[in-house]
Amino acid sequence: MHKDYGRFCWYELMTNDVAAAERIYASVVGWSIRDSGMPGLKYLLAYAGETQVAGMMDLPAEASGMPPAWIGYIFTDRIEETAREIIQNGGAVMREPADIPGIGRFAVVADPHGAVFSLFATQDEGPARPDMMTPGHIGWNELMAGDLDTAWDFYSKTFGWTKDRAVDMSDAGMGTYQTFAAGGGNAIGGMMTNPPGSPMPPAWGYYFVVEGLDAAGDRVRDGGGSIMMGPMEVPGGAWILNCLDPQGAYFSLVSMTR
């Protein structure tokens, strides 16, 4: 099995206003945005320095009615088999594996509670991954699950994820927050049961690393976005904000400093 199997390897925003998305994320996260040059498709690439971090594109016709959203890609070197395992483990395949010419193969899938993510396969090794708390990169992958135990069973069976630290948040009425690792090493994300009364369905969310949380939050508001929750300090000394961009796509920010 490939060393990167089960790791998040790419992030993509599907939105109804790519130009507006380009402006706010360049301002808030500090990305430089460049056109990919893909023929027949307006696909923008977000860079932290000279490293590609994420993509942005218009919502495709087949996603008509879907709200703007970020989607994460999980690497697999056996995409057809992984798609079959997702179904066997209680998930769903929403778009069968297909080629991205000259790049690799992808599929769109969902876990048993409907949280959507994508699979990605390529023969390329790709660049070395920076430390997760490197500014401009993604520092954390978080699932608000339909049910923590069911979700954990699904992802651990499908991708071999292992439990890291479990944080008891029952005093706040939020149960257990389970962090996880992929392929050994440090934790790359966490998951918990979506709190009762949450306005959002079960979904993955992604934390973009910034330098100075308060100033980044000001840039969110100045750019027409909104703050849903925070700033809040989390274990390990980091600070987080949960946000919406002007088109309603959910994203989060994390920083080691206010």
Side-chain angles (χ1 to χ4, degrees):
M1 187 176 293
H2 195 282
K3 64 181 177 60
D4 287 332
Y5 184 80
R7 294 181 180 274
F8 283 89
C9 60
W10 189 245
Y11 302 88
E12 186 174 86
L13 175 67
M14 290 191 290
T15 182
N16 52 23
D17 192 336
V18 173
E22 177 180 0
R23 289 192 296 271
I24 190 167
Y25 291 104
S27 169
V28 172
V29 189
W31 289 334
S32 60
I33 313 292
R34 310 173 196 175
D35 190 273
S36 67
M38 293 177 68
L41 177 65
K42 178 71 172 179
Y43 193 90
L44 301 182
L45 295 170
Y47 285 75
E50 291 303 312
T51 302
Q52 293 179 12
V53 177
M56 301 178 186
M57 62 180 291
D58 286 316
L59 281 162
E62 59 264 33
S64 177
M66 172 186 149
W70 281 96
I71 188 167
Y73 285 69
I74 298 177
F75 184 85
T76 173
D77 55 347
R78 47 190 185 93
I79 193 166
E80 280 77 13
E81 185 178 343
T82 303
R84 288 194 296 270
E85 290 173 353
I86 281 169
I87 295 172
Q88 293 166 3
N89 294 335
V93 174
M94 305 175 72
R95 180 165 180 169
E96 294 288 342
D99 287 334
I100 308 171
I103 296 175
R105 286 173 65 75
F106 81 106
V108 182
V109 298
D111 72 16
H113 302 109
V116 176
F117 59 99
S118 287
L119 303 175
F120 180 70
T122 183
Q123 298 301 314
D124 296 336
E125 282 296 314
R129 287 186 303 272
D131 180 84
M132 287 190 70
M133 286 303 292
T134 302
H137 292 264
I138 285 72
W140 198 246
N141 309 283
E142 184 173 81
L143 175 66
M144 290 298 172
D147 172 73
L148 174 59
D149 291 338
T150 306
W152 178 254
D153 186 60
F154 169 81
Y155 288 102
S156 61
K157 282 182 178 178
T158 305
F159 297 113
W161 290 352
T162 54
K163 290 184 177 181
D164 193 76
R165 181 182 180 189
V167 181
D168 183 3
M169 302 178 67
S170 56
D171 288 348
M174 297 168 67
T176 299
Y177 188 89
Q178 180 65 59
T179 66
F180 62 88
N186 296 327
I188 62 168
M191 60 178 72
M192 63 181 292
T193 300
N194 204 18
S198 170
M200 298 177 63
W204 280 97
Y206 308 103
Y207 285 74
F208 307 135
V209 184
V210 294
E211 295 184 270
L213 194 72
D214 291 345
D218 290 340
R219 295 195 297 273
V220 171
R221 286 183 285 260
D222 291 344
S226 58
I227 308 298
M228 295 180 64
M229 188 172 71
M232 179 172 68
E233 190 173 15
V234 294
W239 290 84
I240 62 170
L241 282 175
N242 304 127
C243 313
L244 292 175
D245 73 16
Q247 285 67 53
Y250 174 76
F251 69 101
S252 296
L253 302 176
V254 59
S255 179
M256 295 305 297
T257 62
R258 288 287 301 273

